[in-house]
Amino acid sequence: MAGSLDALLRPRSVAVIGASNRRKSLGGMVTERLFDFRFTGKIFPVNPRQEAIHSVKAWPSILDVPDPVDCAIVVVPRDAVPAAIDQCIEKGVGAVILITSGFRETGEEGRRLEEEVFAKLKAAGIRAIGPNCMGLLNTSPEVSLDATFTPVPALPGPIGFASQSGALGVVVLGISEERGIGFSQFVSLGNKADVTENDLLEAWEDDPEVPVITAYLESFADAPGFLRIARRVTRKKPVILVKAGRTEAGARAASSHTGALASADTGTDALCRQGGVLRVDTVEEMLDTAWFLAKAPLPAGPRVGILTNAGGPAILCADRLGELGLEIPTLGEATRKVLSDRLPPEAATGNPVDILPSATPEDFAACLAAMLEDPGIDAVISITVTPPLYPARDVLEAITPVARRAGKPVLPVFMVPAAARRELLAVEDAPALFRAPEDAAGALARAVAHARNAARPAEEPREFDRDDAEIAALLGRTLEDGGGYLPQEDVFRVLEIAGFPLAPWRVAGSREEVLAAAAEIEGPVVLKAVGPGIVHKSDLGGVALDLRDEAAVAAALDRMEEALDGAGIPREGRRWLVQAFRAGGREVILGAHRAPGYGPLVMCGLGGKYVEVFRDVQFAMADLTPSDAREMVRGIRGLALLTGTRGEEGVDLAPLEEGLERLAALVRAHREIAELDVNPLLLFPGGGAAVVDGRIRVAAD
Ligand code: ADP
Ligand code: MG
C-alpha cells in the first residue's frame, strides 16, 4: 500500500469505534486521552449503547457519522473487528488505528483473521497501524492527537519514536517525562500488518517536526528496504535504534512476544553500519542520544574538552572517550592562559580542566566559554559534582547561555541528588543533561558518527556487466536436480563469468586427461580431487601443490586415488581439477549466505584453513556500495597481515574490495544461491589476485 500517512499522523477528524464512558476499559481510556489532549480536529465517539461520551454525542455506527472521517480508531473486542473494518471501508475512512489484540500474536487462527482484515483494507487503499498496538500520538500544536491509552501524556518535543512493543513505548514516554524529554510523534507499530518502520522512516524523512528518529524493534518488516531508506534518511537526520533479540534467548523471547520472527544479530549490525543508523543497547541510551542530537549542533570532529569540578569523574569520562575513539587534546596556549589567569594555581588547565570544588557558577561559565573558543576543540563535556557552596542549578543557569551561543555541542553532566536534578529541569533552554560522564561520552561518540554518516556522498551498489543468463543456466542445472552443491567446474564458470580472476584451470576425467591438462598449463600445477562426497578436499588428502613435472603429477594422482578409496569416497563421478600453482599469496575468504529476515549477507576475512580459528570476518548486507566494501575490508582485525607487518611486503586490497562488490551483485541477482564461498582468494605482494577454490550451494528461495 503506497500513499501518505497523513490521515494517520495528522487527521482532521477521528472516530473511536468502541468509545466508552467507562474509565477502566481500553475504549474508555483512549477516548479520555483524546479529549484530555485537546485534539484540534473533530471527535466522533461510536457506541450503539450510549447517547453521549464525555459530553459529546455518540453515534450508533461509524456509518451514521455525518462528516467525513480521516482516521478510525478501533478498540472493539477482536470478534467485532471484521464488522467494524467493513464499516470503516464502507464509510470511506482515510486510515485505521487497530488497537485490538488477539491476532497473529496468538496463533494460527489470529493470523488468518489478521490477514483477512488487512487484505480488505489494502484493497480499499486504507493505511492502518496495528493490530495489537498502543495507538499513536502527535504533539504538534496543529494536531494535538493522543490516540493511545498510555497512562502518562507525552511532553511535546522533537523526537519521533516508533515502537514494536507498546509496553516499552509507555516506559519510554514515562522515562522521558521524568527527564523532561519531549516527543513530536509516537507510533506503536504492533503486529505491523500494514504500516511498518519503513513507512515511518519515509513519513518522517522530510518532516521538520521530527528532526530525530528513534525506534525500538524486535524484527525488521523488510530489512533490505530499511537499509535503502535509512541510507537516504541518515544523510538528513539521525536514526537511533534499539534492536531487541540480540542473543538466542532474547530472540526466543522476541518471537513469543509479538509474533515476530527471531533474527540474527549480524544482520542488524551490518544494516546499521551500512545505513548510518546509530544502534544503541538500551532505551536510556536511545533517549540520551536523541535528546542531545535534537538540541545541540553536530560536532565538527572528535576533539573533546572536559571541564570538571572533581577529578574522578573526569578520568572515567576520559577513559570512556578513549575507548570510543574520541580525542582529548591538550588545550591551546591562549586558552590555557585565560584559564590559569582565572583559576587558583592548584587547578589543572591541560585537558581535562579541573576547576576544583570551590569553583563558582561564574568560573564554570567563563572556563566553558574559553574552551569552546579553542579552535582545537569540537565539543565540551562539563561535569558538575554537587558543588559544596552553590546549588547545582546555579551552575546550569550560568553555562546555559554560553552553550546556546557556542556553535559547538556542550554536554553538561550533573552528578547530584534527585532533588537537585529535578530543579535542573526547570532551567529553560538548557542543553540536554546527562547523569554520568560515560553517558555523555557515548552520546557524543554517536553524534560524531552521525556527523560522519550525514556527510557521506549518496552512493548506490555497483552493478556489473556480465552474462546473467549463462549464470542462471549454470545454477539452474543443480537447482533442477533438487539443489545442493554445484559441480566444481560450474562453480568456476560462474565465478569467471561474474568477473573473478581465476587461476588457470582444467577439469579432467582420466589419467590421460590429467597429464594433458598439466602439460597445457604453464609452470607448476596443483592437482585436486573433485566430485560427489568431496567437500573439504585437503582433509581427504585431495590437494597436491607445486607439482613440477609429469612424474610428480602422476605420483600425486596415484596417492590421491588411494587416499580417496581408503576414505570410502565413491569412484563414480570422481574427477580431477588441474590448476596453475600460484605461490606466495595471502589467503582471504569471500562468502555469502542467505540470512532469514535480511536477505543475502556477504562476508570477507582472513581466509585459508584457519578461518574457523581466527573468525576474523566482516559481514554486510548484499546491498553493498563501494564504500561499504572498503569499510568491510578495513574492519578486518588482522588487516596488517595483508597490508604488511614486520618487514613483509603488503598486498593490494583492491581485488578484495572488487571481489566483494562482484559477489554482492551476484547474490543480489541470483536469490537461488543459498551459500557461496571463495576460499581462498589469493592476494599477491606487488599486486594481482587469484581464486583457487570455491563452493556454491543452491536452493529454492
Ligand atoms: P579445500 O579448501 O577444499 O581443502 P583448496 O582448493 O582451498 O581445498 O586448497 C587448500 C589450500 O591449498 C588452499 O587454502 C591454499 O593454501 C592451497 N592452494 C590450493 N590451490 C592452490 C593454488 N592453485 N596455488 C597455490 N596454493 C593453492
Ligand atoms: Mg578452500
Side-chain angles (χ1 to χ4, degrees), residues 13 149 209 287 376 471 495 525 636:
S13 56
F149 52 97
E209 286 179 347
L287 290 173
I471 293 178
L495 292 175
V525 297
I636 298 173

Side-chain angles (χ1 to χ4, degrees), residues 332-343 349 366-371 373:
E333 274 310 318
T335 315
R336 298 189 68 165
K337 171 111 182 25
V338 176
L339 295 173
S340 53
D341 283 352
R342 174 163 195 116
L343 298 169
T349 60
C367 295
L368 177 62
M371 291 170 79
E373 265 168 37

Side-chain angles (χ1 to χ4, degrees), residues 620-680:
M621 292 186 44
D623 205 72
L624 193 81
T625 65
S627 329
D628 290 340
R630 211 160 36 241
E631 265 181 50
M632 278 179 86
V633 172
R634 298 299 175 277
I636 298 173
R637 282 195 313 280
L639 189 65
L641 295 176
L642 301 178
T643 53
T645 178
R646 323 230 76 175
E648 283 172 4
E649 194 188 342
V651 300
D652 181 13
L653 296 174
L656 176 54
E657 288 167 16
E658 191 190 317
L660 273 171
E661 289 187 63
R662 289 188 182 278
L663 186 62
L666 179 65
V667 294
R668 278 202 308 275
H670 297 281
R671 294 308 174 108
E672 63 272 40
I673 297 177
E675 273 181 289
L676 187 160
D677 261 357
V678 171
N679 188 25

Side-chain angles (χ1 to χ4, degrees), residues 78-79 81-82 102-103 108-118:
R78 187 190 80 160
D79 293 338
V81 166
F103 291 88
E108 188 49 31
E109 191 206 333
R111 190 183 59 77
R112 261 203 312 275
L113 190 64
E114 180 176 310
E115 279 169 5
E116 212 175 282
V117 164
F118 278 78

Side-chain angles (χ1 to χ4, degrees), residues 215-232:
Y216 166 83
L217 295 178
E218 288 156 9
S219 62
F220 292 98
D222 162 19
F226 190 95
L227 172 57
R228 277 192 302 279
I229 300 167
R231 265 203 182 112
R232 205 173 66 221

Side-chain angles (χ1 to χ4, degrees), residues 76-96:
V76 294
R78 187 190 80 160
D79 293 338
V81 166
I85 294 296
D86 286 345
Q87 292 179 347
C88 288
I89 293 170
E90 194 181 338
K91 171 72 183 164
V93 303
V96 167

Side-chain angles (χ1 to χ4, degrees), residues 537 679-680 693-694:
K537 299 177 284 295
N679 188 25
D693 187 25

